[in-house]
């Protein structure tokens, strides 16, 4: 008989790149989780914007079980029905004409960047390779994506860093005008920065990027790994912002907890990924594709998307009420159910101190950098769970304020 794993096993057996909380959740249902001791938690973290339908949603469980009895994997030597159905669903519901399937956000972004480089290479030659990105941007942890990301600490010590990458200031179009030219192959941007602090991109900024890309024959890449699949109240954020990219990446909530990613693009750009140029063993895996298709079909409905907007208002009202009593936040912002509360000057960089207190009160939340409390709950979180979660959050905040 094997022993029940414990938190100490993490330090014993796993590389030390994470520092997980002491509790180990073992079961989840909807927006509630239970740990090894049977303690219950309300989940405002959603697996970092992954569990778009909460834990063990019957629609996803059913899709996974049905596919598990049918076919698990084939490789890319064959195509398969779930992958084709998912690709078709993504094309029919977005600007895209073509899809590349993979298993994570970093992998989708890696594909997007390689596609942009290859497309520009085929169009304009070797010199058209420059990539414009933004400070505080987050695009994944592969070496190309940390280099394009805007947090230098993630690339430090792994050098030499790939060349031809420059960073502007988010929401500052002038900073991009100084960087973009005819040697630029792509501008990569999150329509709302997630890890960087839950910062919504201004419509005029994003439209300005579109115009600059058009003027310089560069591709606009929207990283919607965190904002996609209903998170902001539309299937993808670009659809409500009215700015259409040439390439869009999706992952996180796409599989609702099953690893899957996708890169979407147009018929103008897709041919640059000609036969043999790129690939991924698990890309288009039938299990992943079946779950993602079920997630998309369930989320991309007026009922779920309207519900996201209604819940956004609820989150905002609760957070403002907490703030009226405790004065810890400077600003509450975000779109849909990706919500950030930036700490006030007096509580600067203390958002991270709320998390362990919240765990003790039975609430899971997130931060986006040390100064922003972040929430990315299930898109269908029951209103009663929002109210109870906010009561627990308020207890955690009042303990922070009381210095307990
Ligand atoms: C999480 C995230 C990624 C990386 O996704 P992984 O699945 O961890 O590789 C990329 N971009 C954004 C905007 C993200 O939030």
């Amino acid at each position: 008989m094997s022993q029940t794993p414990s938190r100490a096993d993490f330090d014993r057996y796993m590389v030390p790149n994470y520092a997980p909380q002491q509790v180990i959740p073992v079961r989840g249902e909807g927006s509630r989780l239970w740990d090894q001791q049977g303690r219950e938690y309300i989940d405002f973290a959603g697996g970092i914007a992954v569990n778009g339908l909460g834990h063990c949603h019957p629609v996803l469980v059913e899709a996974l079980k049905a596919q598990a009895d049918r076919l698990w994997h084939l490789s890319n030597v064959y195509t398969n029905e779930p992958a084709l159905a998912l690709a078709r669903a993504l094309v029919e519901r977005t600007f895209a004409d073509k899809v590349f399937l993979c298993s994570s956000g970093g992998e989708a972004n890696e594909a997007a960047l390689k596609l942009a480089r290859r497309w520009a290479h085929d169009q304009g030659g070797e010199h058209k390779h420059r990539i414009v990105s933004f400070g505080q941007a987050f695009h994944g942890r592969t070496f190309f994506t940390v280099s394009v990301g805007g947090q230098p600490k993630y690339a430090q010590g792994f050098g030499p860093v790939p060349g031809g990458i420059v960073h502007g200031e988010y929401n500052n179009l002038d900073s991009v005008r100084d960087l973009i030219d005819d040697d630029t192959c792509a501008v990569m941007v999150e329509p709302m920065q997630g890890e960087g602090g839950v910062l919504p991109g201004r419509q005029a900024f994003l439209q300005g990027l579109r115009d600059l890309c058009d003027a310089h024959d560069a591709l606009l890449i929207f990283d919607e790994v965190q904002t996609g699949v209903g998170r902001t109240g539309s299937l993808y954020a670009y659809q409500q912002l009215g700015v259409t990219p040439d390439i869009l990446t999706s992952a996180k909530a796409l599989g609702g907890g099953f690893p899957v990613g996708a890169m979407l693009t147009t018929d103008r750009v897709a041919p640059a990924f000609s036969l043999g140029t790129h690939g991924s063993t698990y890309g288009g895996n039938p299990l992943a594709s079946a779950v993602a298709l079920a997630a998309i079909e369930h989320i991309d409905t007026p009922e779920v998307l309207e519900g996201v907007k209604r819940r956004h208002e609820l989150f905002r009202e609760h957070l403002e009420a907490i703030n009226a009593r405790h004065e810890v936040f400077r600003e509450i912002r975000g779109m849909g159910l990706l919500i950030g509360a930036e700490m006030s000057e007096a509580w600067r960089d203390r958002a991270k101190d709320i998390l362990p207190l919240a765990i003790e009160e039975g609430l899971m939340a997130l931060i986006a950098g040390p100064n922003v409390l972040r929430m990315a709950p299930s898109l269908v979180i029951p209103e009663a769970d929002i109210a109870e979660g906010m009561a627990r959050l308020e207890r955690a905040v009042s303990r922070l304020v009381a210095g307990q």
Side-chain angles (χ1 to χ4, degrees):
M1 277 282 284
S2 63
Q3 247 185 309
T4 304
S6 72
R7 175 61 177 77
D9 291 338
F10 181 90
D11 300 328
R12 198 170 303 139
Y13 299 120
M14 298 189 69
V15 295
N17 61 320
Y18 303 122
Q21 300 288 338
Q22 290 301 315
V23 299
I24 301 184
V26 292
R27 189 167 68 81
E29 191 185 324
S31 287
R32 306 242 172 179
L33 281 160
W34 289 267
D35 70 14
Q36 288 176 316
Q37 279 69 45
R39 277 202 68 206
E40 172 252 358
Y41 302 84
I42 288 180
D43 187 8
F44 282 1
I48 316 190
V50 165
N51 298 87
L53 291 172
H55 298 275
C56 299
H57 192 285
V59 164
L60 302 188
V61 171
E62 178 50 36
L64 181 59
K65 282 185 174 168
Q67 189 57 41
D69 283 333
R70 213 169 280 147
L71 179 70
W72 282 38
H73 189 73
L74 284 171
S75 88
N76 302 302
V77 178
Y78 306 89
T79 190
N80 67 78
E81 291 178 359
L84 295 170
L86 173 60
R88 179 178 175 171
L90 287 167
V91 164
E92 286 179 350
R93 290 161 195 268
T94 66
F95 73 97
D97 306 308
K98 293 285 189 290
V99 175
F100 171 79
L101 295 174
C102 54
S103 306
S104 71
E107 206 191 348
N109 284 333
E110 187 81 21
L113 293 165
K114 281 181 68 181
L115 176 64
R117 279 262 173 97
R118 189 64 182 238
W119 176 84
H121 175 273
D122 296 352
Q123 297 286 106
E126 205 68 60
H127 65 93
K128 193 172 174 64
H129 68 253
R130 195 192 298 198
I131 294 163
V132 178
S133 167
F134 296 93
Q136 301 308 314
F138 185 77
H139 299 302
R141 296 297 199 118
T142 69
F143 198 46
F144 201 170
T145 57
V146 285
S147 308
V148 173
Q151 305 191 41
K153 66 173 191 282
Y154 290 151
Q156 267 158 22
F158 297 105
V161 177
I165 301 164
V166 292
H167 294 88
E169 192 188 325
Y170 196 67
N171 273 333
N172 178 347
L173 200 57
D174 285 335
S175 76
V176 184
R177 279 195 193 95
D178 292 342
L179 295 173
I180 197 168
D181 61 24
D182 289 343
D183 286 346
T184 302
C185 72
V187 174
M188 181 176 240
V189 67
E190 298 156 87
M192 168 165 61
Q193 286 194 335
E195 309 295 318
V198 191
L199 263 183
R202 290 194 202 101
Q203 205 278 343
F205 169 68
L206 297 167
Q207 182 61 53
L209 294 181
R210 175 72 274 174
D211 297 340
L212 284 172
C213 283
D214 291 343
H216 294 283
D217 203 16
L219 300 176
L220 182 61
I221 305 172
F222 274 3
D223 177 347
E224 292 229 33
V225 170
Q226 191 155 160
T227 54
V229 196
R231 180 60 51 193
T232 66
S234 47
L235 181 62
Y236 289 100
Y238 87 87
Q239 292 166 321
Q240 58 179 301
L241 292 163
V243 179
T244 303
D246 302 291
I247 300 175
L248 179 150
T249 54
S250 186
K252 288 206 163 95
L254 184 57
F258 200 98
V260 60
M263 181 200 69
L264 283 55
T265 190
T266 60
D267 276 335
R268 183 170 76 104
V269 181
F273 264 179
S274 58
L275 185 62
T277 47
H278 192 61
S280 169
T281 293
Y282 279 123
N285 171 272
L287 294 166
S289 301
V291 175
L293 177 63
I296 291 239
E297 286 182 339
H298 191 79
I299 289 171
D300 192 21
T301 55
E303 190 191 341
V304 171
L305 297 177
E306 287 305 317
V308 169
K309 292 178 191 143
R310 196 173 65 243
R311 288 172 177 84
H312 172 93
E313 293 309 323
L314 272 175
F315 266 80
R316 209 177 254 282
E317 284 164 21
H318 278 290
L319 288 168
E320 276 162 7
I322 290 173
N323 202 34
R325 290 188 284 269
H326 302 284
E327 295 179 357
V328 285
F329 304 132
R330 193 179 81 84
E331 184 183 43
I332 293 153
R333 60 184 181 234
M335 292 167 77
L337 285 175
L338 184 51
I339 294 167
E342 186 178 338
M343 303 306 284
S344 65
E345 201 49 51
W347 295 97
R348 194 178 182 78
D349 288 350
R350 300 288 301 278
K352 61 181 187 305
D353 298 333
I354 297 175
L355 296 193
L357 294 170
I359 292 275
E360 284 178 27
E361 296 297 335
L363 175 74
M364 293 172 177
L366 297 166
I367 51 173
N371 202 37
V372 178
L373 183 70
R374 173 172 44 152
M375 280 146 278
S378 159
L379 306 181
V380 295
I381 182 171
E383 294 185 6
D385 287 1
I386 298 177
E388 177 57 27
M390 285 295 175
R392 295 178 188 187
L393 177 64
E394 177 150 20
R395 288 202 285 278
V397 167
S398 53
R399 282 176 60 193
L400 176 80
V401 171
Q404 297 171 339

